[in-house]
Amino acid sequence: MATKEELIARLEELLGHADPEQSAEQVEGVKETYEALVAHERELAAQSQGEAGAPAEGDGQAPPAEPAHIESYAPQDEADKRFKQLLDTFNQKVNELRRKKQKEENDNLAAKRAIMDELRQMIAGEENIGSAFQRFNELTEKWKTIGPVPQQAYRELQSDYSHLRDEFFYHIRIYKELRDHDLKKNTALKRALIADMEAVQRVETVREAELLVKEYQEKWHHIGPVVKEEWEQVRDAFWNATRVVYDRINEHYKARRAEQEANLEAKKALVEKVKAVAADVEKAGTKEWKEWTEQVLELQNAWKNIGFATRKENERIWKEFREACNAFFQRKKVHFDQLRDQYKAIRERKQALLDEALTLKDSKEWKRTADRLKELQQLWKEAGSAGPRDEHKLWTRFREACDAFFQSRKATFEQQDAEQAAHVQAREAMLTELEAFTLTGDHTADLGKLREFSQRWLNGGRISPRQYDAMATRYRAAMDKLYGQLKVNDTERGRLRFQDRLDDLKSSPDGRFQMEREGRTLRRKIEELENELRQFERNLGMFNFKSESGQAMRQDLEKKMERVRKEMDRLRDQQKQLQQELR
């Protein structure tokens, strides 16, 4: 394909021709080539824009690459401006020439009609053959010098003029030898012109045939009358040959019109198909949009392969097709803009879930963190998709964060299980030893041995709560049995028992929590005893204890108060003992 610069140079060359109408067909060819080149550039630009932005499905709204009409197309560069200027200059020259030609043709028509009027008068009234023939030759020369006339008057004018010429020669019988010579000469010229007209039937292009048939008709009318005996045969031969040429021309334009009508119907069908696709996109998903976009692009490619419609309809149907395509791509743009906004909101929610998961992945609070990560996973499922671009990337990082925590927890628990299994074996061995232990009779040594068992129990390591409860029951039963055999006094026995309880609590899986709860129980019991003691003291002040029965009641209250005080002292000692352990 020629470049813009080559086409501009060709147009400048054609603009320099003296008769722009003779260059019209070539200029039209240059114009169509240039418009096709512009359309090709626009198509490449649209494809480049679609590959840079659109959405993977195509995003884009590039109109089909229909050849642009340079007269209505906005110039895109200096070459477009120059070409359009040259084309405008050419059209101005053509229009100016046509106006001038129209005026000349009208003036020529008037001049030729004047000649014909004079010729009629001369045929009707001239008696001087010499002067008539001389004037006839003058009028003939004058007729030849007059230029073309309007096309619609041409045939009738030429027919009447030929008839008048023929009538002049047939009515004025002068210089018969000269007339016969001219008739034979004209007959030969017209027969040669018939051969030329028959040759026009074989020229390659219809445009060339149109130019030649007009030229030969003009020559035909300029040639004088022929031999009378051959007139009808020569006339019929020429016009029959002319009619064949015109039949070919008419068939060409008829076929061209039929082709253009077929192209118009094909383009109308494409418009309806695009409109049908655009009307069926209200509830479309991403998959449907992709399929419909491919359909519209296929329709646009089909449009490019259809030729021009009629000049009157081509621009209108192209505008209708372009608007239908633009409507589809605009709806697609709105859909994916909304989808991008939706993806953005979901992406932000999932990014927040990911950020929280990343902060929790190294946590050692196994229960609370595991519960929270499961909640985050449920929220992740309920959030929806963040779009094909981000969903997989976010999910991969989120899953890695969750997996890191749960794998760490699993490894920790496996280690704890192994340690607890060893602790169970050690505690089982210790309980077996404790249950088989027999007092030696040495009170101090036996008490020390029991304290050793208590310390070994305390340091026995962590085991599961279910196993611990069963073993602790056996431990307390064995210790109570041995302490009972030692016959330790109540106070010491109570202190030892409480110490054993503290050791038991401290060695449990949630030892500190159990000891703190024990401390709260002690405080509550002490407060209850303090309230009870205050009530006894108020009762002592309310009653009269002077009588014998009163004295007995007083002594009973005092004994109760003493028991309460001793119990408070015992509980306070346990409270101090507990606080020391907590510290």
Side-chain angles (χ1 to χ4, degrees):
M1 182 180 288
T3 64
K4 287 185 176 182
E5 290 71 17
E6 293 173 346
L7 294 174
I8 289 173
R10 177 57 178 159
L11 186 57
E12 289 175 340
E13 177 185 354
L14 294 173
L15 194 59
H17 290 182
D19 187 357
E21 283 193 325
Q22 293 182 356
S23 308
E25 184 175 11
Q26 299 178 57
V27 170
E28 183 65 19
V30 172
K31 173 175 171 287
E32 291 178 355
T33 303
Y34 195 93
E35 288 173 343
L37 183 59
V38 169
H40 181 64
E41 290 180 350
R42 291 173 65 187
E43 180 179 3
L44 292 178
Q47 293 175 355
S48 175
Q49 182 179 3
E51 295 172 356
E57 309 64 40
D59 19 206
Q61 296 185 62
E66 181 75 3
H69 294 287
I70 195 66
E71 290 89 350
S72 59
Y73 171 68
Q76 300 297 305
D77 51 27
E78 293 300 320
D80 289 354
K81 293 179 181 179
R82 177 58 179 162
F83 188 89
K84 191 172 183 179
Q85 289 174 355
L86 292 172
L87 191 61
D88 291 341
T89 301
F90 177 82
N91 290 333
Q92 289 174 4
K93 288 183 67 176
V94 169
N95 292 335
E96 182 179 354
L97 179 64
R98 287 175 178 172
R99 287 192 296 270
K100 182 178 179 181
K101 184 177 180 181
Q102 183 67 37
K103 183 177 183 306
E104 290 178 352
E105 287 176 349
N106 290 333
D107 294 340
N108 294 339
L109 178 61
K112 286 190 174 184
R113 283 176 175 170
I115 290 175
M116 291 170 64
D117 290 340
E118 184 175 351
L119 188 56
R120 289 190 185 95
Q121 293 176 4
M122 186 172 62
I123 292 172
E126 183 61 55
E127 295 179 357
N128 189 325
I129 296 177
S131 60
F133 188 79
Q134 182 179 356
R135 182 56 181 163
F136 175 82
N137 288 336
E138 291 174 356
L139 292 176
T140 300
E141 290 302 319
K142 185 177 180 180
W143 180 278
K144 292 179 180 179
T145 60
I146 298 173
V149 298
Q151 186 67 34
Q152 61 271 21
Y154 176 80
R155 180 172 294 182
E156 181 180 357
L157 180 70
Q158 288 297 134
S159 178
D160 292 346
Y161 176 68
S162 296
H163 180 73
L164 286 172
R165 284 173 55 85
D166 292 345
E167 187 176 356
F168 174 82
F169 281 102
Y170 285 120
H171 284 77
I172 301 178
R173 299 184 180 279
I174 188 172
Y175 302 114
K176 185 171 185 323
E177 295 82 1
L178 180 59
R179 185 194 69 178
D180 292 341
H181 173 75
D182 287 342
L183 292 177
K184 292 178 181 180
K185 177 182 176 182
N186 292 342
T187 301
L189 290 174
K190 287 195 173 185
R191 287 192 178 279
L193 202 56
I194 291 170
D196 292 339
M197 185 64 78
E198 290 173 346
V200 174
Q201 301 171 12
R202 298 183 292 276
V203 297
E204 292 184 1
T205 66
V206 172
R207 179 62 178 170
E208 183 181 359
E210 285 184 294
L211 295 175
L212 289 175
V213 74
K214 184 176 181 181
E215 177 186 348
Y216 293 160
Q217 286 183 90
E218 189 74 17
K219 289 181 178 180
W220 174 272
H221 295 302
H222 285 166
I223 297 173
V226 298
V227 176
K228 183 177 181 180
E229 292 77 13
E230 299 184 30
W231 162 242
E232 290 185 358
Q233 189 271 333
V234 170
R235 178 197 63 193
D236 292 343
F238 178 79
W239 290 112
N240 287 337
T242 302
R243 191 174 299 107
V244 172
V245 175
Y246 273 119
D247 287 343
R248 176 191 175 190
I249 294 172
N250 292 334
E251 284 298 323
H252 168 78
Y253 283 109
K254 182 179 179 181
R256 184 174 177 181
R257 282 192 298 272
E259 179 183 352
Q260 290 176 342
E261 290 293 338
N263 292 341
L264 178 61
E265 293 303 318
K267 290 186 175 184
K268 286 181 179 179
L270 293 182
V271 171
E272 294 303 319
K273 289 181 180 179
V274 174
K275 288 181 177 179
V277 172
D280 196 25
V281 298
E282 295 300 330
K283 298 181 180 179
T286 302
K287 179 180 179 181
E288 289 77 11
W289 273 111
K290 181 179 179 181
E291 293 175 354
W292 287 332
T293 300
E294 291 175 353
Q295 290 181 26
V296 172
L297 293 177
E298 288 177 0
L299 294 176
Q300 290 180 345
N301 289 330
W303 180 279
K304 298 174 189 177
N305 296 326
I306 299 175
F308 284 97
T310 60
R311 182 179 297 273
K312 177 181 178 181
E313 296 290 341
N314 196 67
E315 183 65 25
R316 180 194 63 77
I317 195 66
W318 159 241
K319 181 178 179 182
E320 189 174 351
F321 181 72
R322 182 180 58 195
E323 289 175 351
C325 291
N326 289 344
F328 170 80
F329 285 111
Q330 180 61 31
R331 290 189 179 184
K332 179 181 177 182
K333 180 179 182 300
V334 170
H335 170 78
F336 281 99
D337 285 347
Q338 294 174 347
L339 194 60
R340 277 192 291 272
D341 292 341
Q342 177 183 336
Y343 285 157
K344 180 180 178 183
I346 295 175
R347 182 173 66 250
E348 291 173 352
R349 289 199 296 272
K350 289 198 169 182
Q351 183 63 51
L353 296 176
L354 171 61
D355 292 341
E356 185 175 354
L358 290 173
T359 63
L360 295 175
K361 74 183 185 69
D362 297 323
S363 173
K364 304 303 179 184
E365 298 181 17
W366 307 119
K367 181 67 170 64
R368 185 184 66 82
T369 304
D371 291 341
R372 181 55 183 164
L373 285 176
K374 290 176 182 178
E375 291 177 2
L376 295 182
Q377 289 173 346
Q378 184 61 33
L379 292 173
W380 186 281
K381 293 178 183 178
E382 296 171 354
S385 174
R389 187 187 67 178
D390 298 309
E391 177 64 26
H392 179 70
K393 178 175 63 177
L394 288 171
W395 166 244
T396 299
R397 295 184 62 199
F398 180 75
R399 183 180 60 190
E400 289 173 352
C402 294
D403 290 347
F405 168 80
F406 286 110
Q407 290 172 2
S408 176
R409 186 184 72 160
K410 178 181 178 183
T412 300
F413 284 179
E414 287 176 350
Q415 181 181 356
Q416 288 179 356
D417 290 343
E419 293 174 352
Q420 288 180 8
H423 295 160
V424 168
Q425 291 180 355
R427 284 181 182 271
E428 183 66 35
M430 192 273 286
L431 285 173
T432 301
E433 183 182 350
L434 176 62
E435 291 169 342
F437 178 73
T438 302
L439 297 175
T440 63
D442 185 342
H443 183 83
T444 303
D446 290 338
L447 190 61
K449 187 63 176 178
L450 293 180
R451 291 297 303 153
E452 180 185 338
F453 279 121
S454 295
Q455 193 64 34
R456 286 172 63 186
W457 177 262
L458 179 64
N459 298 325
R462 182 184 180 89
I463 62 176
S464 68
R466 179 178 58 80
Q467 293 174 312
Y468 179 81
D469 290 341
M471 288 184 170
T473 300
R474 290 174 59 191
Y475 169 74
R476 285 192 294 269
M479 291 295 286
D480 287 345
K481 176 182 177 182
L482 292 172
Y483 275 123
Q485 292 174 357
L486 278 175
K487 297 180 180 180
V488 179
N489 63 54
D490 292 341
T491 302
E492 180 64 15
R493 178 70 181 277
R495 190 185 68 79
L496 291 174
R497 284 180 175 176
F498 186 71
Q499 184 61 47
D500 286 342
R501 176 167 175 76
L502 291 182
D503 293 343
D504 191 23
L505 293 175
K506 187 162 55 175
S507 63
S508 65
D510 51 350
R512 186 170 186 83
F513 173 76
Q514 295 292 344
M515 293 176 69
E516 289 175 348
R517 186 172 68 176
E518 183 70 18
R520 291 192 295 272
T521 302
L522 288 173
R523 284 196 300 272
R524 185 170 64 254
K525 289 181 178 180
I526 292 171
E527 289 173 356
E528 291 174 353
L529 291 173
E530 288 175 344
N531 292 332
E532 186 177 355
L533 183 60
R534 284 192 293 270
Q535 184 63 39
F536 287 153
E537 290 174 348
R538 283 195 295 270
N539 291 339
L540 283 174
M542 290 173 59
F543 297 102
N544 184 3
F545 298 110
K546 293 179 179 182
S547 64
E548 184 177 349
S549 60
Q551 286 296 325
M553 184 181 294
R554 180 184 182 88
Q555 290 174 1
D556 183 58
L557 283 174
E558 287 176 348
K559 288 179 181 178
K560 290 180 179 179
M561 290 171 67
E562 184 62 26
R563 285 196 300 270
V564 170
R565 290 189 184 97
K566 287 181 180 180
E567 182 65 15
M568 287 173 61
D569 291 339
R570 186 182 69 82
L571 293 176
R572 288 192 178 105
D573 288 340
Q574 290 182 357
Q575 192 177 43
K576 290 178 182 179
Q577 193 175 349
L578 177 62
Q579 289 173 351
Q580 289 175 357
E581 291 293 338
L582 286 172
R583 286 196 294 269

